[in-house]
Amino acid sequence: MLMNDRPVRVIGLVLTISYAAFIVWLYGRQPQTMAEVTGAITARVGAYRVDRQAFADGLQLFRRDQLEAARAAFERADPAQQDARTQFYIAYSYYRSGWHRFYQDDREFQQGLERADKAIALAGGRLVVADPELRIHNADELRAELAGGLRTEASDFNPMRIFKGRK
Amino acid sequence: MTTRTEAVYLPLMFLTVSMLGGLRVADRITFAPPPLFALVLAMLLLGVLVRGGVVAPERLLNAQRPAVANLNGLMVIVTTFFASTQVFNLIIPESGLPFLLFNVFLFVLLINTLAGSPDRVSVLRSLAVITGTSFILKFIFLTALSDPAGGAFKRALLSLFEGMTLGALSQQPLHPATGYIAFGTLVLFLIGMAMLPAAATHRAQPKLRISGDVSRHRRS
């Protein structure tokens, strides 16, 4: 081997291992958009930032119960879906828009459950959002509420449940 | 083969094939991991490549080479295996009867090639034919049959197979981009295969032996 071969070989090894790790990550995480790919990479190096203005807009709309518009603003604030707090609010908005006094919208609850799972995973387990205007602060509690809404149980047929309020 | 080809170009090419081989563009983008049988087919293909002299493992891994060079060689072999796995994942239909038929057909074909003693050019040519034919069958023939809108090609095929039910043949419809990406991936894979370090003495030994025998015969 020539002496000047060594740097090329080492660079090749580093590139190959990095590229292979990226592919393994890609197959494991299954990102849907380029924003998710770049967002996850920047989040890993601690350079990912949520759009504060869009988040504030989302929060305002969420509090006014304009849930679909709030979700759009939250999605704009966190396009790569890397911020646990924003994902919590999106999950919460699905819970609120899917909740009805006589029934629950399974589609909305399912989407909410996926976002709640994402929020918990991003937070690394425990996630508490200290917002006094919310009735659920813990992501695990929100998840349980969404999962419970998707299950069909004997208590669903209890007429008294119509008096149960939305959280 | 240059150092750059072995250390950089080949592993990166095969990793790109590995990445794109599982890419499916439909209503959402997914990266499909290979089915278990694709690993078996890739192992058989690796055997065919070594036996046919398309790749010479002794040129990539041997005791005379420095450790870092052997690591590069190992990367080439490993990435070749993964690229082969993903190419089978790409050309084999996703479900139903075609999935079974393609797997059986490719398995028999590779076993048959392994049992023979093909040379490098034959193996490369055969590989191009296998991947090309499978590409046409999956991305043109089966895609046309599975098209819910049903174009002119589907109508022509239906009239060709009159009376046959398509339930067992139809596949999940894919975005046209998948076919173009698959084509590029297969071309990249075949280029990579042709760039692998070939067995230098393959098929040369029998000729030398014959000439030696003749000279001995002349002396006597």
mmCIF file with all atom_site columns, all heavy atoms in Angstrom, chain B residues 69-82:
data_model
loop_
_atom_site.group_PDB
_atom_site.id
_atom_site.type_symbol
_atom_site.label_atom_id
_atom_site.label_alt_id
_atom_site.label_comp_id
_atom_site.label_asym_id
_atom_site.label_entity_id
_atom_site.label_seq_id
_atom_site.pdbx_PDB_ins_code
_atom_site.Cartn_x
_atom_site.Cartn_y
_atom_site.Cartn_z
_atom_site.occupancy
_atom_site.B_iso_or_equiv
_atom_site.pdbx_formal_charge
_atom_site.auth_seq_id
_atom_site.auth_comp_id
_atom_site.auth_asym_id
_atom_site.auth_atom_id
_atom_site.pdbx_PDB_model_num
ATOM 1   N N   . ALA B 1 69 ? -6.773  -1.516  4.779  1.00 0.00 ? 69 ALA B N   1
ATOM 2   C CA  . ALA B 1 69 ? -7.141  -1.952  3.418  1.00 0.00 ? 69 ALA B CA  1
ATOM 3   C C   . ALA B 1 69 ? -8.086  -3.151  3.485  1.00 0.00 ? 69 ALA B C   1
ATOM 4   O O   . ALA B 1 69 ? -9.052  -3.242  2.711  1.00 0.00 ? 69 ALA B O   1
ATOM 5   C CB  . ALA B 1 69 ? -5.890  -2.312  2.634  1.00 0.00 ? 69 ALA B CB  1
ATOM 6   N N   . ASN B 1 70 ? -7.815  -4.051  4.431  1.00 0.00 ? 70 ASN B N   1
ATOM 7   C CA  . ASN B 1 70 ? -8.719  -5.199  4.612  1.00 0.00 ? 70 ASN B CA  1
ATOM 8   C C   . ASN B 1 70 ? -10.101 -4.752  5.074  1.00 0.00 ? 70 ASN B C   1
ATOM 9   O O   . ASN B 1 70 ? -11.116 -5.329  4.675  1.00 0.00 ? 70 ASN B O   1
ATOM 10  C CB  . ASN B 1 70 ? -8.126  -6.182  5.622  1.00 0.00 ? 70 ASN B CB  1
ATOM 11  C CG  . ASN B 1 70 ? -7.146  -7.143  4.961  1.00 0.00 ? 70 ASN B CG  1
ATOM 12  O OD1 . ASN B 1 70 ? -7.252  -7.447  3.777  1.00 0.00 ? 70 ASN B OD1 1
ATOM 13  N ND2 . ASN B 1 70 ? -6.178  -7.613  5.718  1.00 0.00 ? 70 ASN B ND2 1
ATOM 14  N N   . LEU B 1 71 ? -10.122 -3.714  5.915  1.00 0.00 ? 71 LEU B N   1
ATOM 15  C CA  . LEU B 1 71 ? -11.423 -3.172  6.360  1.00 0.00 ? 71 LEU B CA  1
ATOM 16  C C   . LEU B 1 71 ? -12.200 -2.602  5.173  1.00 0.00 ? 71 LEU B C   1
ATOM 17  O O   . LEU B 1 71 ? -13.413 -2.802  5.063  1.00 0.00 ? 71 LEU B O   1
ATOM 18  C CB  . LEU B 1 71 ? -11.212 -2.080  7.406  1.00 0.00 ? 71 LEU B CB  1
ATOM 19  C CG  . LEU B 1 71 ? -11.113 -2.550  8.852  1.00 0.00 ? 71 LEU B CG  1
ATOM 20  C CD1 . LEU B 1 71 ? -10.745 -1.389  9.758  1.00 0.00 ? 71 LEU B CD1 1
ATOM 21  C CD2 . LEU B 1 71 ? -12.431 -3.149  9.325  1.00 0.00 ? 71 LEU B CD2 1
ATOM 22  N N   . ASN B 1 72 ? -11.485 -1.898  4.289  1.00 0.00 ? 72 ASN B N   1
ATOM 23  C CA  . ASN B 1 72 ? -12.129 -1.372  3.067  1.00 0.00 ? 72 ASN B CA  1
ATOM 24  C C   . ASN B 1 72 ? -12.678 -2.522  2.222  1.00 0.00 ? 72 ASN B C   1
ATOM 25  O O   . ASN B 1 72 ? -13.800 -2.443  1.711  1.00 0.00 ? 72 ASN B O   1
ATOM 26  C CB  . ASN B 1 72 ? -11.134 -0.568  2.226  1.00 0.00 ? 72 ASN B CB  1
ATOM 27  C CG  . ASN B 1 72 ? -10.799 0.771   2.829  1.00 0.00 ? 72 ASN B CG  1
ATOM 28  O OD1 . ASN B 1 72 ? -9.658  1.201   2.831  1.00 0.00 ? 72 ASN B OD1 1
ATOM 29  N ND2 . ASN B 1 72 ? -11.800 1.444   3.352  1.00 0.00 ? 72 ASN B ND2 1
ATOM 30  N N   . GLY B 1 73 ? -11.875 -3.578  2.093  1.00 0.00 ? 73 GLY B N   1
ATOM 31  C CA  . GLY B 1 73 ? -12.301 -4.753  1.332  1.00 0.00 ? 73 GLY B CA  1
ATOM 32  C C   . GLY B 1 73 ? -13.542 -5.398  1.930  1.00 0.00 ? 73 GLY B C   1
ATOM 33  O O   . GLY B 1 73 ? -14.482 -5.769  1.214  1.00 0.00 ? 73 GLY B O   1
ATOM 34  N N   . LEU B 1 74 ? -13.537 -5.473  3.273  1.00 0.00 ? 74 LEU B N   1
ATOM 35  C CA  . LEU B 1 74 ? -14.696 -6.056  3.976  1.00 0.00 ? 74 LEU B CA  1
ATOM 36  C C   . LEU B 1 74 ? -15.948 -5.210  3.724  1.00 0.00 ? 74 LEU B C   1
ATOM 37  O O   . LEU B 1 74 ? -17.044 -5.741  3.494  1.00 0.00 ? 74 LEU B O   1
ATOM 38  C CB  . LEU B 1 74 ? -14.399 -6.137  5.475  1.00 0.00 ? 74 LEU B CB  1
ATOM 39  C CG  . LEU B 1 74 ? -15.482 -6.764  6.342  1.00 0.00 ? 74 LEU B CG  1
ATOM 40  C CD1 . LEU B 1 74 ? -15.603 -8.254  6.050  1.00 0.00 ? 74 LEU B CD1 1
ATOM 41  C CD2 . LEU B 1 74 ? -15.196 -6.550  7.821  1.00 0.00 ? 74 LEU B CD2 1
ATOM 42  N N   . MET B 1 75 ? -15.756 -3.893  3.718  1.00 0.00 ? 75 MET B N   1
ATOM 43  C CA  . MET B 1 75 ? -16.889 -2.981  3.453  1.00 0.00 ? 75 MET B CA  1
ATOM 44  C C   . MET B 1 75 ? -17.459 -3.225  2.054  1.00 0.00 ? 75 MET B C   1
ATOM 45  O O   . MET B 1 75 ? -18.671 -3.186  1.867  1.00 0.00 ? 75 MET B O   1
ATOM 46  C CB  . MET B 1 75 ? -16.440 -1.515  3.568  1.00 0.00 ? 75 MET B CB  1
ATOM 47  C CG  . MET B 1 75 ? -16.186 -1.070  4.969  1.00 0.00 ? 75 MET B CG  1
ATOM 48  S SD  . MET B 1 75 ? -17.692 -1.124  5.952  1.00 0.00 ? 75 MET B SD  1
ATOM 49  C CE  . MET B 1 75 ? -17.024 -0.980  7.576  1.00 0.00 ? 75 MET B CE  1
ATOM 50  N N   . VAL B 1 76 ? -16.566 -3.456  1.084  1.00 0.00 ? 76 VAL B N   1
ATOM 51  C CA  . VAL B 1 76 ? -17.040 -3.701  -0.291 1.00 0.00 ? 76 VAL B CA  1
ATOM 52  C C   . VAL B 1 76 ? -17.896 -4.968  -0.311 1.00 0.00 ? 76 VAL B C   1
ATOM 53  O O   . VAL B 1 76 ? -18.991 -4.984  -0.887 1.00 0.00 ? 76 VAL B O   1
ATOM 54  C CB  . VAL B 1 76 ? -15.852 -3.815  -1.272 1.00 0.00 ? 76 VAL B CB  1
ATOM 55  C CG1 . VAL B 1 76 ? -16.329 -4.287  -2.645 1.00 0.00 ? 76 VAL B CG1 1
ATOM 56  C CG2 . VAL B 1 76 ? -15.139 -2.485  -1.406 1.00 0.00 ? 76 VAL B CG2 1
ATOM 57  N N   . ILE B 1 77 ? -17.414 -6.024  0.354  1.00 0.00 ? 77 ILE B N   1
ATOM 58  C CA  . ILE B 1 77 ? -18.165 -7.297  0.350  1.00 0.00 ? 77 ILE B CA  1
ATOM 59  C C   . ILE B 1 77 ? -19.514 -7.136  1.073  1.00 0.00 ? 77 ILE B C   1
ATOM 60  O O   . ILE B 1 77 ? -20.558 -7.562  0.571  1.00 0.00 ? 77 ILE B O   1
ATOM 61  C CB  . ILE B 1 77 ? -17.322 -8.427  0.981  1.00 0.00 ? 77 ILE B CB  1
ATOM 62  C CG1 . ILE B 1 77 ? -16.112 -8.701  0.081  1.00 0.00 ? 77 ILE B CG1 1
ATOM 63  C CG2 . ILE B 1 77 ? -18.151 -9.699  1.177  1.00 0.00 ? 77 ILE B CG2 1
ATOM 64  C CD1 . ILE B 1 77 ? -15.096 -9.645  0.653  1.00 0.00 ? 77 ILE B CD1 1
ATOM 65  N N   . VAL B 1 78 ? -19.468 -6.497  2.236  1.00 0.00 ? 78 VAL B N   1
ATOM 66  C CA  . VAL B 1 78 ? -20.702 -6.328  3.032  1.00 0.00 ? 78 VAL B CA  1
ATOM 67  C C   . VAL B 1 78 ? -21.721 -5.458  2.271  1.00 0.00 ? 78 VAL B C   1
ATOM 68  O O   . VAL B 1 78 ? -22.901 -5.794  2.190  1.00 0.00 ? 78 VAL B O   1
ATOM 69  C CB  . VAL B 1 78 ? -20.378 -5.719  4.429  1.00 0.00 ? 78 VAL B CB  1
ATOM 70  C CG1 . VAL B 1 78 ? -21.644 -5.317  5.163  1.00 0.00 ? 78 VAL B CG1 1
ATOM 71  C CG2 . VAL B 1 78 ? -19.597 -6.715  5.260  1.00 0.00 ? 78 VAL B CG2 1
ATOM 72  N N   . THR B 1 79 ? -21.242 -4.346  1.695  1.00 0.00 ? 79 THR B N   1
ATOM 73  C CA  . THR B 1 79 ? -22.181 -3.463  0.974  1.00 0.00 ? 79 THR B CA  1
ATOM 74  C C   . THR B 1 79 ? -22.701 -4.138  -0.301 1.00 0.00 ? 79 THR B C   1
ATOM 75  O O   . THR B 1 79 ? -23.841 -3.895  -0.693 1.00 0.00 ? 79 THR B O   1
ATOM 76  C CB  . THR B 1 79 ? -21.554 -2.093  0.647  1.00 0.00 ? 79 THR B CB  1
ATOM 77  O OG1 . THR B 1 79 ? -20.324 -2.302  -0.031 1.00 0.00 ? 79 THR B OG1 1
ATOM 78  C CG2 . THR B 1 79 ? -21.330 -1.263  1.888  1.00 0.00 ? 79 THR B CG2 1
ATOM 79  N N   . THR B 1 80 ? -21.866 -4.984  -0.926 1.00 0.00 ? 80 THR B N   1
ATOM 80  C CA  . THR B 1 80 ? -22.339 -5.735  -2.101 1.00 0.00 ? 80 THR B CA  1
ATOM 81  C C   . THR B 1 80 ? -23.502 -6.643  -1.688 1.00 0.00 ? 80 THR B C   1
ATOM 82  O O   . THR B 1 80 ? -24.517 -6.738  -2.387 1.00 0.00 ? 80 THR B O   1
ATOM 83  C CB  . THR B 1 80 ? -21.203 -6.596  -2.700 1.00 0.00 ? 80 THR B CB  1
ATOM 84  O OG1 . THR B 1 80 ? -20.102 -5.757  -2.982 1.00 0.00 ? 80 THR B OG1 1
ATOM 85  C CG2 . THR B 1 80 ? -21.636 -7.313  -3.968 1.00 0.00 ? 80 THR B CG2 1
ATOM 86  N N   . PHE B 1 81 ? -23.363 -7.285  -0.536 1.00 0.00 ? 81 PHE B N   1
ATOM 87  C CA  . PHE B 1 81 ? -24.412 -8.175  -0.039 1.00 0.00 ? 81 PHE B CA  1
ATOM 88  C C   . PHE B 1 81 ? -25.703 -7.387  0.233  1.00 0.00 ? 81 PHE B C   1
ATOM 89  O O   . PHE B 1 81 ? -26.796 -7.785  -0.197 1.00 0.00 ? 81 PHE B O   1
ATOM 90  C CB  . PHE B 1 81 ? -23.943 -8.898  1.231  1.00 0.00 ? 81 PHE B CB  1
ATOM 91  C CG  . PHE B 1 81 ? -25.024 -9.704  1.894  1.00 0.00 ? 81 PHE B CG  1
ATOM 92  C CD1 . PHE B 1 81 ? -25.479 -10.890 1.328  1.00 0.00 ? 81 PHE B CD1 1
ATOM 93  C CD2 . PHE B 1 81 ? -25.613 -9.266  3.068  1.00 0.00 ? 81 PHE B CD2 1
ATOM 94  C CE1 . PHE B 1 81 ? -26.497 -11.621 1.925  1.00 0.00 ? 81 PHE B CE1 1
ATOM 95  C CE2 . PHE B 1 81 ? -26.625 -9.987  3.673  1.00 0.00 ? 81 PHE B CE2 1
ATOM 96  C CZ  . PHE B 1 81 ? -27.067 -11.171 3.100  1.00 0.00 ? 81 PHE B CZ  1
ATOM 97  N N   . PHE B 1 82 ? -25.569 -6.255  0.918  1.00 0.00 ? 82 PHE B N   1
ATOM 98  C CA  . PHE B 1 82 ? -26.771 -5.472  1.241  1.00 0.00 ? 82 PHE B CA  1
ATOM 99  C C   . PHE B 1 82 ? -27.431 -4.898  -0.018 1.00 0.00 ? 82 PHE B C   1
ATOM 100 O O   . PHE B 1 82 ? -28.656 -4.858  -0.118 1.00 0.00 ? 82 PHE B O   1
ATOM 101 C CB  . PHE B 1 82 ? -26.457 -4.367  2.250  1.00 0.00 ? 82 PHE B CB  1
ATOM 102 C CG  . PHE B 1 82 ? -26.292 -4.890  3.648  1.00 0.00 ? 82 PHE B CG  1
ATOM 103 C CD1 . PHE B 1 82 ? -25.132 -4.685  4.367  1.00 0.00 ? 82 PHE B CD1 1
ATOM 104 C CD2 . PHE B 1 82 ? -27.293 -5.642  4.239  1.00 0.00 ? 82 PHE B CD2 1
ATOM 105 C CE1 . PHE B 1 82 ? -24.968 -5.195  5.648  1.00 0.00 ? 82 PHE B CE1 1
ATOM 106 C CE2 . PHE B 1 82 ? -27.156 -6.159  5.522  1.00 0.00 ? 82 PHE B CE2 1
ATOM 107 C CZ  . PHE B 1 82 ? -25.983 -5.937  6.227  1.00 0.00 ? 82 PHE B CZ  1
#
